[in-house]
């Protein structure tokens, strides 16, 4: 029983810190699909698909109303040349033109995941961990300047 409690606590702390490769703001809107997102389980749920749309919009990769994909921000998600090559292959015109919609965003992430699941997960975890650490540093710097 004690092991279960410790494990549950660690999983909870890791999720709050973004250590599971998820976007905290977008995950909070995913409702009953949050566990599927954390477990990298792809299904046809609208909430799950819209999580990926939220992620692309929140990371300034696509504008909410559609339009140009920001390649610089998109490729920041991928920390190896192999993943960046896969990411480039996942950007066919149809997906890019619908990336501001839930289905298009979902298909882009599903394509990247299917190309190399293990490395894709590691890259997303590293991206959000780094982003979380950067935000914490800038908050500390603001407090120390005041």
């Amino acid at each position: 029983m004690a092991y279960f409690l410790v494990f549950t606590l660690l999983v909870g702390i890791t999720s709050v810190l973004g250590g599971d490769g998820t976007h905290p703001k977008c995950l909070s809107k995913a409702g009953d699909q949050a566990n599927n997102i954390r477990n990298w389980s792809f299904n046809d749920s609208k909430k799950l698909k819209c999580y990926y749309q939220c992620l692309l919009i929140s990371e300034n990769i696509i504008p909410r109303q559609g339009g140009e994909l920001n390649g610089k921000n998109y490729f920041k998600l991928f920390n190896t040349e192999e993943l960046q090559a896969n990411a480039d292959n996942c950007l066919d015109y149809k997906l890019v033109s619908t990336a501001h919609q839930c289905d298009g965003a979902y298909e882009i992430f599903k394509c990247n995941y299917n190309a190399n699941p293990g490395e894709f997960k590691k890259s997303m975890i590293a991206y959000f961990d780094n982003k979380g650490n950067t935000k914490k540093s800038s908050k500390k710097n603001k407090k120390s300047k005041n």
Side-chain angles (χ1 to χ4, degrees), residues 39-53:
N39 294 323
W40 302 91
S41 173
F42 292 89
N43 63 52
D44 282 335
S45 161
K46 183 78 170 168
K47 284 183 181 177
L48 185 132
K49 290 179 177 183
C50 289
Y51 163 81
Y52 293 102
Q53 174 207 33

Side-chain angles (χ1 to χ4, degrees), residues 3-4 13 29 34 39 44 48 70 73 80 86 107 112 118:
Y3 291 113
F4 176 74
I13 290 169
K29 298 177 181 181
N39 294 323
D44 282 335
L48 185 132
N70 183 325
N73 288 347
T80 68
N86 291 336
E107 291 299 330
N112 281 290

Side-chain angles (χ1 to χ4, degrees), residues 23-25 59 129-142:
H23 190 286
K25 177 184 132 195
E59 295 306 305
D129 279 355
N130 185 43
K131 187 172 176 134
N133 292 335
T134 303
K135 282 185 179 180
K136 289 175 190 172
S137 305
S138 57
K139 283 182 183 178
K140 284 181 186 178
N141 288 340
K142 284 180 184 178

Side-chain angles (χ1 to χ4, degrees), residues 87-138:
D88 193 38
N89 291 334
C90 291
L91 291 180
D92 75 20
Y93 176 77
K94 181 182 176 200
L95 293 182
V96 172
S97 66
T98 62
H100 65 288
Q101 300 166 355
C102 298
D103 288 340
Y106 168 82
E107 291 299 330
I108 289 171
F109 275 90
K110 187 175 175 184
C111 176
N112 281 290
Y113 176 83
N114 287 339
N116 191 334
E119 290 303 311
F120 180 72
K121 287 181 199 178
K122 288 179 194 175
S123 185
M124 295 298 286
I125 291 168
Y127 175 81
F128 285 110
D129 279 355
N130 185 43
K131 187 172 176 134
N133 292 335
T134 303
K135 282 185 179 180
K136 289 175 190 172
S137 305
S138 57

